[in-house]
Amino acid sequence: MKIWANSGDSHLVEPDDLFTSSLPASLAERMPRTVKDPDGSHETVYIDGQEIRRRLPKLAATGLRDEQGLTVFERAPGANDMKLRIKDLDGEGIWAELVYPSIGIWMSSIQDPKLLAAGCAAINDWAFEYQRYNPRYVCTATVPLLDAEHAVTEIQRAAGMGFKAAYFSVTPALGAPDWNYDLWEPVWAAMADTGMVVAFHIGTEAHDAATMHGAYFRGPGGALINYTETTYGGQRAVTKMIASGVFDRYPDIKALVSEGGATWGPFVADRLDEAYRQHASMVRPALRRLPSEYLYANVYASFQHDRSAVLAMTAMGWRNVCWGSDYPHIEGTFGHSQKTLHQLFDDVDEASARRMTVGAFEELFPHVPPAPANGTEAPTER
Ligand code: MN
């Protein structure tokens, strides 16, 4: 039986000419771009004078060669096309999806506020066409997070366009103070005013060539160590929001951590409560409610394969757990979403499964049309 699920973690793939077609050449040439090595093993990311080399995961090779003789890897056919993408989603049983940028994730490494703001606006103008095409795409607005003034301007502009979520890197842009500092107060106020969801995606720490993403650790086990390490930033980001009283001052703000599993939620809640109680004399600011109450009420998490994430809801009582496909990334479920959904949810009670597959997402994005009933096919296009 087909299971329908909303995805709390998906990605758009920006076209190569996004910046050159929308910005003056003097700005476009400083924007992030990636160039793959001919053998597909590494890529170089160029960002405003920085060069970051990184190894690429091996995708399943199809055995085909493209016109340049490069190996063609299996990827989602609709990754770059808003119409084909709906067919991919229908096939996989994915209804609505929260869509993050791809190249936009590198924006937090730009250190010129005006350049960053121009780049974010260009990404957002392009991304919003997806949501305009079909409300099943819930696009995240990329926010320039070097300073509060530029951030608030773009948050308000994006909300005016109709964005329902803003993509926040798990740390502010390189060199800016962290999320628990007062400097960001106007940003939280703007997020509360606009009602947009604060959407953190893991693995989005600001980086420069010296602390490049994905290679904090070297040596035996490096790939596994680094992959696991990418998870923690999302936990740190919401811990900073809770501890510095953001949800105390703005109880309507909702924050989502995408792609990072979910059992960390109850764990972090316990750690925060113990500190709040046992270290009370050192705790500033005081909070109106226990830290755990904010985590359970204001914070959401999406996961793709994690068996334990289901238990964060069914055994630990965190209701804000939702599934995510990570389409079209290699960590995601494209090609096996139905198998994964059945493995995860077949032995889970119906109400809990419904909450994780569609309900928690609908709570964040009530404007999205309801998912089809399980066991039915997608309605034909309007
Ligand atoms: Mn993702």
Side-chain angles (χ1 to χ4, degrees):
M1 185 179 82
K2 188 164 193 158
I3 299 175
W4 282 95
N6 294 322
S7 166
D9 168 31
S10 300
H11 298 266
L12 298 177
V13 181
E14 297 89 341
D16 289 339
D17 67 350
L18 169 63
F19 295 119
T20 52
S21 66
S22 57
L23 292 173
S26 59
L27 297 181
E29 68 193 13
R30 297 167 63 191
M31 289 297 163
R33 66 193 166 89
T34 58
V35 178
K36 282 187 178 55
D37 288 7
D39 67 359
S41 67
H42 289 74
E43 70 179 0
T44 309
V45 187
Y46 298 91
I47 313 164
D48 194 20
Q50 299 184 67
E51 280 184 32
I52 297 175
R53 286 279 294 167
R54 61 173 197 166
R55 192 197 297 268
L56 291 173
K58 278 204 179 65
L59 305 181
T62 57
L64 302 172
R65 301 263 162 180
D66 71 7
E67 54 278 17
Q68 278 100 41
L70 302 181
T71 305
V72 176
F73 298 106
E74 268 183 70
R75 64 176 305 168
N80 303 75
D81 182 310
M82 62 178 76
K83 293 184 186 126
L84 274 181
R85 185 178 177 115
I86 290 288
K87 288 201 172 61
D88 283 353
L89 299 189
D90 287 347
E92 295 292 301
I94 298 163
W95 181 243
E97 47 174 15
L98 180 67
V99 271
Y100 289 90
S102 288
I103 193 82
I105 279 177
W106 296 95
M107 297 303 281
S108 56
S109 293
I110 293 177
Q111 290 166 60
D112 172 340
K114 283 194 179 138
L115 180 72
L116 177 60
C120 290
I123 293 174
N124 293 341
D125 288 343
W126 168 78
F128 197 70
E129 292 305 314
Y130 275 75
Q131 192 167 316
R132 217 192 300 276
Y133 173 71
N134 195 313
R136 289 167 65 183
Y137 300 129
V138 181
C139 297
T140 57
T142 303
V143 181
L145 296 167
L146 256 178
D147 63 276
E149 194 186 327
H150 284 97
V152 167
T153 300
E154 190 60 16
I155 288 166
Q156 288 171 342
R157 191 183 78 93
M161 290 170 73
F163 280 96
K164 304 296 184 192
Y167 155 58
F168 277 49
S169 42
V170 293
T171 59
L174 203 65
D178 215 333
W179 295 131
N180 54 319
Y181 284 85
D182 293 346
L183 160 103
W184 300 110
E185 195 66 10
V187 168
W188 306 131
M191 292 304 289
D193 278 353
T194 58
M196 284 199 292
V197 171
V198 178
F200 290 110
H201 191 285
I202 64 155
T204 54
E205 286 85 355
H207 33 256
D208 56 24
T211 57
M212 63 181 261
H213 168 60
Y216 296 107
F217 299 98
R218 297 183 183 278
L224 293 185
I225 298 165
N226 285 313
Y227 187 77
T228 306
E229 180 68 20
T230 62
T231 309
Y232 303 134
Q235 305 171 25
R236 292 188 184 116
V238 294
T239 299
K240 287 162 192 162
M241 288 180 75
I242 294 169
S244 64
V246 173
F247 298 116
D248 217 36
R249 298 189 297 281
Y250 304 102
D252 294 333
I253 290 183
K254 300 216 181 300
L256 167 69
V257 175
S258 291
E259 209 184 304
T263 27
W264 60 266
F267 162 80
V268 166
D270 283 343
R271 303 306 306 162
L272 283 165
D273 278 3
E274 186 172 75
Y276 197 74
R277 203 173 49 237
Q278 316 290 111
H279 290 181
S281 65
M282 290 186 279
V283 170
R284 288 179 192 53
L287 303 176
R288 269 193 278 265
R289 298 164 67 188
L290 277 174
S292 60
E293 294 179 58
Y294 295 114
L295 193 133
Y296 280 82
N298 298 75
V299 180
Y300 292 68
S302 90
F303 71 99
Q304 55 274 29
H305 295 105
D306 315 44
R307 290 289 303 170
S308 72
V310 172
L311 299 173
M313 181 185 167
T314 58
M316 302 179 198
W318 190 22
R319 289 181 49 74
N320 297 346
V321 177
C322 68
W323 183 77
S325 68
D326 204 21
Y327 176 99
H329 287 175
I330 190 175
E331 300 84 7
T333 62
F334 182 73
H336 62 268
S337 302
Q338 283 300 305
K339 190 173 162 210
T340 299
L341 287 164
H342 278 285
Q343 284 171 346
L344 288 168
F345 297 116
D346 276 357
D347 59 354
V348 174
D349 72 274
E350 202 181 318
S352 300
R354 192 80 186 151
R355 172 81 187 166
M356 286 181 272
T357 50
V358 294
F361 183 97
E362 287 176 342
E363 194 168 273
L364 291 173
F365 306 111
H367 71 287
V368 166
N374 288 345
T376 69
E377 285 305 317
T380 42
E381 284 282 304
R382 298 156 285 153

